Amino acid sequence: MSLGPVPYLLLLSYALQGHSSSSQETTFLETERGTLPLILSAPHGGRGTTPEGWPEPGTRPRDGNTWEIVWALADALEERTGHRPWVVALSIHPANIEMNVQRESSGSGIAGENPHLGRVAHWEGYHAFLEEAGEGAVKAGGGGALLVDIHGHAHSHGLAELGYGMSASELAKPDDELPRADWYRGPRSLGTRLEEVGIPAVPSLTHPHPDGLRYFTGGYIIRRHRSGTEEGLQSVQIELPPFPRFSGTDGERALLVEGMADALVQFMADHFTLPLPPFEGFEVIDIPTMGRLAPFREAFFTVVEVFGIPVVATEGVSAAKQEHAAHVLAQWLDNDEDGIPDDTQVMNALHAEGAFLIMVPLERDMESLFEMDLIETLEQGGWMLGQDLYGEETLPYGPPHSLESRRFDATLEEVLHLVSNGWVEAYPEAFGLDSRAPSLLTQAMDRARGGRFLLIPWLGYPRRAWYTYSDRTCDYACQGGEYLYWGLTSLLGAQEYAGRPAEIGDEWRCPAAATFALCDPDLHALLTNPRYNLPTVLPDGTYR
């Protein structure tokens, strides 16, 4: 007997025959339509016992906590994108129905001459929903989408195994013999993105192939539900290791979910078109009396948050200027303005350091803040990385955005100094500022200054230098930060409006975007390296 392909809602009606009329009690498929070009599947994580009247189950173990993980992951993705993925999960124990094999080869009572209708309905319904989700997700993604089938393995190596339907021997081939090698294990592969958030994975840059380790290549679900080309629906089976999926604490599993969400959002942003999350502007509010922002109440009155980074202000800073700073901060972090920060590693670094932006009306107002025990209070609250910005230099109508004011809008510089700390932490070999550990940035700076100077040279810079910052309070690391600011803003066209090159010529002589590659080739090569995903559009204070 073969029912053939039947819409899953009709099929589930068969499962209800002879059981309770409550679909919540007799339907073990849990589905949710989404608006992301992403589908989450969890066929083996259900806990439900065998219903009365069903045949005895098989012996297949469940993939512990994968049902819980897939729903928590859906929530975490919504928090990051403003949209939910498509989700299908089986809530009954997988020994009752095996979803990840063809019906004809299944030993779960859905094949043969007398299949059990309830099991058949659920198997057909699961795959019918995946068909619908595939069409909807591809449409949401403008032609491309991803199916992630989540499982759990019991292997001892501790790696998340990403199965693409390829054998370990195929993955062991060199890149020039493996089609789409970059998709499987390149710097923007899902495995590499997982590694970047602390989830070791194979394949990835670090673990390009299993190399003799036990490894699941991916089952029926990902092989059936994919386009077979580089367009349309792509698929991957993720086998999570026992720790922390099964043997970890609730807190450790929560961190796993957060890391998976960060990696997936970054991977999706790299390869697919994500819908814009709802955005209704930034809201300046009074600093709350309790919670993570409460330590700022000691000296500040209002706050606006940008991707978890607070912009706090004292009395005397207008809401318009505080909002302008928030918009510029958002544009530096999410330069393509798709609602998702461009680099998860950078955001993680800024959050880990407790990054924040301080706004006071005048520069001299900072002195009164330092007379308080403010720094100690903030550090005790986890806020350790601050940058100041003065209301008097926050000029939304100043150049380079507008020429209504003659003064340069310093918001571009001061906010960039805060954000660039994330690049320094995420990519120390490229942007590190430690004089004892040369980076690509500081090596380029040494050439731009005409030599390696830990302090400002007393006799002045060599005549061949084009970066000649002379503030003696600015140490080597500070010089590096200023150099990065000058280079990136020049590359993006901020320093070449009429009169600006002459104004800044005593410390920077490469202001023109068109000739920047010739003027400072090493810095240009660093700032345009796609590995670091740096901003390519100059913020103008109008995010989204």
Side-chain angles (χ1 to χ4, degrees), residues 177-476:
E177 297 180 17
L178 178 64
R180 301 188 74 188
D182 190 61
W183 170 264
Y184 301 123
R185 61 190 181 210
R188 299 196 305 161
S189 67
L190 181 55
T192 299
R193 293 305 189 192
L194 287 168
E195 294 253 351
E196 289 172 348
V197 297
I199 303 173
V202 59
S204 64
L205 272 179
T206 306
H207 303 94
H209 59 88
D211 195 22
L213 298 174
R214 297 184 67 186
Y215 168 73
F216 284 114
T217 62
Y220 175 71
I221 288 175
I222 67 146
R223 296 168 192 262
R224 170 174 170 171
H225 301 282
R226 62 180 177 183
S227 66
T229 70
E230 295 186 17
E231 299 179 350
L233 184 62
Q234 310 298 307
S235 60
V236 59
Q237 178 173 304
I238 298 182
E239 292 273 353
L240 295 171
F243 180 84
R245 170 186 60 84
F246 184 71
S247 58
T249 65
D250 289 344
E252 288 165 333
R253 275 188 292 277
L255 291 176
L256 169 68
V257 168
E258 295 297 312
M260 291 177 67
D262 287 338
L264 275 170
V265 168
Q266 186 65 64
F267 179 74
M268 295 295 294
D270 288 339
H271 298 283
F272 300 94
T273 301
L274 292 174
L276 293 177
F279 179 71
E280 300 177 355
F282 294 110
E283 182 182 7
V284 176
I285 62 172
D286 292 340
I287 295 174
T289 57
M290 299 181 65
R292 52 189 281 274
L293 298 176
F296 289 105
R297 283 182 63 86
E298 184 168 324
F300 303 95
F301 289 84
T302 56
V303 62
V304 55
E305 285 200 82
V306 179
F307 300 121
I309 298 177
V311 179
V312 297
T314 61
E315 196 172 24
V317 176
S318 70
K321 292 195 172 187
Q322 197 170 357
E323 290 173 3
H324 177 67
H327 278 264
V328 171
L329 175 57
Q331 289 179 299
W332 277 130
L333 292 170
D334 175 24
N335 199 239
D336 59 6
E337 300 194 29
D338 65 354
I340 301 168
D342 297 328
D343 195 315
T344 301
Q345 283 184 272
V346 171
M347 288 306 306
N348 287 344
L350 292 172
H351 289 155
E353 291 295 319
F356 60 95
L357 184 71
I358 285 176
M359 296 189 71
V360 296
L362 305 171
E363 182 175 4
R364 64 171 180 265
D365 294 324
M366 288 296 296
E367 298 176 6
S368 60
L369 294 182
F370 286 114
E371 293 174 357
M372 311 166 71
D373 294 329
L374 178 63
I375 294 178
E376 182 178 354
T377 300
L378 294 179
E379 288 182 347
Q380 288 175 351
W383 302 104
M384 297 174 288
L385 180 62
Q387 173 66 45
D388 53 337
L389 171 66
Y390 313 134
E392 62 180 333
E393 61 181 357
T394 303
L395 303 169
Y397 300 104
H401 326 300
S402 166
L403 299 182
E404 291 186 29
S405 168
R406 297 181 61 183
R407 290 184 59 193
F408 187 85
D409 179 20
T411 313
L412 282 177
E413 176 179 0
E414 306 308 334
V415 173
L416 178 58
H417 284 323
L418 178 64
V419 171
S420 63
N421 282 284
W423 300 332
V424 171
E425 293 297 321
Y427 306 108
E429 76 290 347
F431 300 103
L433 301 175
D434 191 335
S435 61
R436 298 164 297 180
S439 66
L440 296 177
L441 176 70
T442 57
Q443 291 176 63
M445 179 179 73
D446 291 342
R447 288 185 282 273
R449 298 171 82 199
R452 181 173 172 78
F453 306 111
L454 299 185
L455 301 174
I456 305 299
W458 284 101
L459 298 179
Y461 288 97
R463 295 186 61 182
R464 64 181 182 275
W466 59 88
Y467 172 50
T468 53
Y469 195 61
S470 58
D471 182 351
R472 296 193 179 278
T473 66
C474 190
D475 62 14
Y476 189 80

